[in-house]
Amino acid sequence: MADTYQKGEYVRYACNGVCLVDDVRLDSLARKEAPKEFYILKPVSNPASTIFVPTGSPALVSKMSRLPDREELDRMILSVKGLTFPWIEDRKARLARFQEIVKECDLRDLICLALCIYQRKRDLTAAGKKLGASDEGVLQRAEALIENQVGFVLQVSGDQVGPYIRSKLES
């Protein structure tokens, strides 16, 4: 059975990041439709935006998840210590896999992805080369999603998230 969410709760919704459940109400988005119950979400990063998630759609509700508390977050960060995704040499296959990870927006996988790309970037820099633009773009998107979720949980600015995660992984 899918989780149920309450008005006033903060959740992660797909790649929209942290959202406030602004309301749970009956609404009819099309005049000819019977009213359906929706979660009305307001992305924290864009409060002018509104997302309607039908409560009766398991596929869409499954894109919502509760945010970890600080302890759960720390355990999750520590669980990725020493893990990374293998580097896929074929650029198209790598980009497709990396975009899939970003689309799924799982925080643990996003951190592993960022670690993988950081390691590759270090290796390339040491060899006097640069990271490709598509890989750099994926890294920036992953960092933004990580900063959104972790920053919200810790109640810190985005520029404090990277150092926090690194300190946990280096301890």
Side-chain angles (χ1 to χ4, degrees):
M1 184 175 148
D3 281 341
T4 57
Y5 303 95
Q6 305 300 317
K7 179 179 179 177
E9 186 174 0
Y10 286 92
V11 297
R12 178 193 52 85
Y13 183 67
C15 286
N16 293 282
V18 178
C19 296
L20 170 66
V21 179
D22 193 49
D23 203 358
V24 182
R25 70 171 184 246
L26 288 175
D27 209 321
S28 181
L29 298 181
R31 289 182 186 208
K32 295 179 184 178
E33 284 184 6
K36 295 180 187 176
E37 187 177 55
F38 289 89
Y39 292 114
I40 312 301
L41 306 180
K42 293 284 188 181
V44 170
S45 62
N46 185 8
S49 179
T50 302
I51 302 167
F52 290 79
V53 180
T55 62
S57 172
L60 294 176
V61 173
S62 71
K63 294 180 179 186
M64 294 173 66
S65 64
R66 288 194 162 73
L67 297 172
D69 62 26
R70 188 182 194 114
E71 286 181 15
E72 293 168 325
L73 177 66
D74 286 347
R75 281 194 302 274
M76 189 273 310
I77 292 169
L78 291 172
S79 78
V80 303
K81 193 172 185 174
L83 295 179
T84 188
F85 290 114
W87 189 259
I88 301 168
E89 291 301 328
D90 179 82
R91 187 184 64 77
K92 286 183 181 180
R94 180 177 64 249
L95 184 59
R97 177 65 183 127
F98 285 0
Q99 287 175 335
E100 180 181 310
I101 293 166
V102 168
K103 182 179 177 186
E104 290 170 2
C105 210
D106 177 81
L107 185 56
R108 185 175 192 273
D109 287 348
L110 288 169
I111 292 172
C112 284
L113 174 63
L115 292 171
C116 172
I117 297 174
Y118 286 143
Q119 182 60 51
R120 180 65 173 192
K121 191 173 186 175
R122 277 192 294 270
D123 294 347
L124 288 171
T125 301
K129 297 179 181 178
K130 290 186 177 184
L131 189 64
S134 58
D135 295 320
E136 190 68 51
V138 168
L139 177 59
Q140 289 174 3
R141 182 68 180 134
E143 287 174 329
L145 292 167
I146 293 166
E147 288 172 2
N148 175 266
Q149 292 180 60
V150 175
F152 186 84
V153 169
L154 298 177
Q155 293 297 294
V156 299
S157 65
D159 62 344
Q160 294 175 301
V161 169
Y164 181 84
I165 292 172
R166 281 189 293 280
S167 74
K168 289 292 178 190
L169 294 175
E170 291 169 358
S171 64

